């Protein structure tokens, strides 16, 4: 048997398709690689067998190669559908039963073709036509032949529609690579046009030529442009109008898509599509680190200073809190196909939380911390002292004769004195120190890593400053003093209660000594 010249292109394309199938098979299995590899093998079987059919001279040999053709052509539409479902991200909804149903018609077709001598369901009145350049088979089409043809039409058309919908719903920036796949899927229709219109020579079936060409174009696009690495994202109007920012990242950490809200929140533009995350989001290092960690799901809050829209000239900024939800995208299996980052403005919630925290930890009158927060900080310092063998000091202060001041000048005057002492403590203490109003006219100060003598010196400085800083109230000068008890905490101190009792005894002793005095104790 001599190879027909019309069969040479088919043999060559089959060799290329098999090589491409091997290459694509090695890419993985989560994004349609395996179905497309099988599709290439099926097309290679179809093309090779058809090349051998038109090179054969006897009816028996031609029938043999026709049966071989159906090992490929019977399964091409099902594999084409399966590949399109995977590539467009719709395969997750494909159940085992749906997958089985997809291959029922191909299986029946294959059985009927291999038993064609015993029925007329596929071919009727088969004979060898010798009128042309080379022998070809002629026949009348049986009922199942039309089922097979309609299934091929349906498979190609359905795949065309899936890919067209993906193309329409994709960001224009990403349409070019998807256009390659869409174009390849449309080429088989040219084979039908040639066959139906009899444009080719001597009734040659041009379907294997055009199916091979279309498959090779798709394979070239998938391998050359890395299309399997792109996650198909339906970019509808809803995506664009989401109030939350949406950012899509591929496995190579490139920005695939983003909506208007993401551009606004993250100061990005359409020009950032295709760029690396670490480049476009360099101003958000914590977000970049979380994206690169490839965790299944990550929640992250980011604080940024945003320039006010109505004052861009002076670049007035206000703090803005963003919450980023990073979600891994998987089609099938353990492979991460990309990430979706949802950005939400949570500034109002954070401001509300900060206000609640302020109210729960702060004395409203003086602006100092309250007793609850003071006890918490003291407990933390005690724990640190025990763990690291550190020490800290504590001062309890009480305004002398405060009831008398209220009785003489009024409660508003007393409030002014409390506020004055609170402001003095804020200005005189270190940032690491904690000052609080413990209740009424009693105040407390925690001084981390401060010895007893240093704490006593600090208490004396505060006491003397108060003596020289009377409060002016409604034209009257109000002089006041305070007494202070000072103690230190070492790792041997058992509890905060013990520490407060020591400081309280020292304060009581200061009162007993006539007030306006500081007393220290480590007992």
């Amino acid at each position: 048997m001599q190879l027909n010249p019309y069969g040479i292109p088919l043999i060559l394309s089959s060799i290329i398709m098999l090589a491409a199938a091997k290459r694509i098979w090695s890419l993985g299995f989560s994004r349609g690689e395996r179905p497309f590899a099988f599709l290439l093998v099926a097309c290679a079987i179809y093309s090779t067998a058809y090349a051998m059919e038109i090179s054969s001279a006897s009816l028996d040999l031609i029938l043999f190669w026709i049966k071989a053709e159906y090992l490929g052509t019977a399964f091409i539409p099902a594999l084409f559908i399966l590949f399109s479902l995977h590539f467009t991200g719709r395969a997750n909804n494909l159940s085992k039963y749906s997958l089985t149903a997809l291959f029922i018609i191909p299986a029946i077709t294959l059985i009927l073709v291999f038993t064609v001598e015993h029925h007329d369901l596929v071919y009727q009145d088969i004979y060898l036509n010798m009128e042309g350049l080379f022998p070809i088979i002629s026949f009348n089409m049986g009922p199942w032949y039309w089922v097979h043809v309609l299934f091929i039409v349906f498979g190609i058309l359905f795949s065309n529609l899936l890919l067209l919908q993906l193309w329409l719903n994709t960001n224009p920036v990403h349409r070019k690579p998807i256009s390659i796949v869409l174009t390849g899927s449309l080429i088989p229709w040219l084979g039908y046009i040639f066959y139906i219109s009899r444009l080719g020579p001597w009734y040659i079936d041009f379907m294997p030529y055009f199916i091979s060409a279309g498959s090779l174009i798709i394979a070239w696009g998938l391998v050359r442009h890395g299309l399997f690495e792109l996650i198909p994202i339906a970019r509808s109007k809803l995506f664009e109008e989401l109030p939350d920012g949406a950012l899509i990242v591929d496995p190579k950490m490139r920005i695939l898509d983003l909506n208007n809200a993401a551009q606004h929140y993250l100061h990005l533009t359409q020009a950032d599509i295709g760029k690396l995350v670490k480049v476009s989001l360099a101003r958000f290092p914590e977000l970049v680190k979380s994206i690169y960690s490839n965790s299944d799901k990550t929640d992250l809050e980011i604080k940024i200073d945003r320039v006010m829209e109505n004052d861009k000239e002076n670049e007035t900024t206000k703090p803005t809190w963003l919450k980023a939800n990073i979600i891994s995208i998987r089609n099938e299996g353990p492979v991460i196909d990309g990430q979706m980052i949802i950005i939400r403005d949570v500034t109002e919630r954070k401001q509300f939380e900060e206000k609640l925290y302020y109210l729960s930890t702060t004395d409203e009158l003086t602006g100092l911390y309250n007793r609850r927060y003071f006890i918490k900080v003291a407990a933390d310092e005690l724990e640190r002292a025990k763990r690291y063998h550190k020490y800290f000091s504590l001062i309890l202060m009480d305004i002398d004769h405060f009831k008398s001041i209220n009785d003489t000048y009024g409660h508003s005057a007393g409030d002014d004195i409390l506020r004055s002492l609170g402001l003095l403590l804020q200005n005189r203490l270190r940032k690491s120190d904690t000052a609080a109003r413990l209740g009424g006219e009693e105040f407390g100060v925690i001084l981390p890593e401060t010895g007893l003598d240093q704490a006593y010196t600090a208490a004396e400085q505060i006491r003397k400053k108060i003596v020289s800083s009377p409060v002016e109230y409604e034209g009257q000068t109000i002089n006041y003093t305070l007494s202070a008890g000072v103690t230190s905490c070492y790792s041997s101190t058992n509890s905060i209660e013990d520490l407060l009792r020591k400081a309280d005894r020292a304060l009581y002793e200061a009162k007993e000594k006539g007030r306006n005095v500081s007393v220290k104790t480590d007992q």
Side-chain angles (χ1 to χ4, degrees), residues 6 33 35 116 130 172 199 218 237 247 283 305 343 368 455 493:
Y6 288 101
E33 297 92 336
V116 71
M130 304 292 292
L199 293 177
I218 295 173
K237 187 177 180 182
L247 185 74
R283 62 177 299 181
D305 292 323
I343 307 294
L368 299 177
T493 304

Side-chain angles (χ1 to χ4, degrees), residues 117-136:
E117 295 88 355
H118 305 290
H119 56 77
D120 295 328
L121 294 174
V122 181
Y123 298 118
Q124 298 175 356
D125 304 323
I126 301 172
Y127 66 94
L128 195 62
N129 190 332
M130 304 292 292
E131 296 176 1
L133 297 176
F134 49 86
I136 63 168

Side-chain angles (χ1 to χ4, degrees), residues 291-358:
I291 293 173
Y292 273 78
S293 70
N294 271 329
S295 299
D296 277 347
K297 187 172 182 181
T298 304
D299 292 340
L300 179 70
E301 289 188 346
I302 312 164
K303 185 178 182 182
I304 62 174
D305 292 323
R306 186 178 300 283
V307 177
M308 301 284 285
E309 291 290 332
N310 57 355
D311 197 17
K312 290 186 177 180
E313 207 172 290
N314 299 321
E315 293 193 347
T316 303
T317 62
K318 69 171 183 177
T320 301
W321 282 94
L322 302 176
K323 183 175 182 180
N325 298 106
I326 306 172
I327 306 167
S328 294
I329 303 173
R330 303 173 191 269
N331 280 339
E332 295 177 5
V335 179
I336 294 178
D337 294 315
Q339 297 176 81
M340 176 180 288
I341 298 93
I342 304 298
I343 307 294
R344 183 176 293 113
D345 189 336
V346 293
T347 303
E348 288 187 8
R349 177 176 66 78
K350 290 296 292 186
Q351 289 174 341
F352 182 70
E353 290 175 355
E354 288 173 356
K355 185 176 181 179
L356 285 179
Y357 180 77
Y358 176 83

Side-chain angles (χ1 to χ4, degrees), residues 62-73:
I62 289 175
L63 284 174
F64 172 81
W65 288 117
I66 286 176
K67 292 177 181 180
E69 286 172 30
Y70 276 85
L71 291 172
T73 188

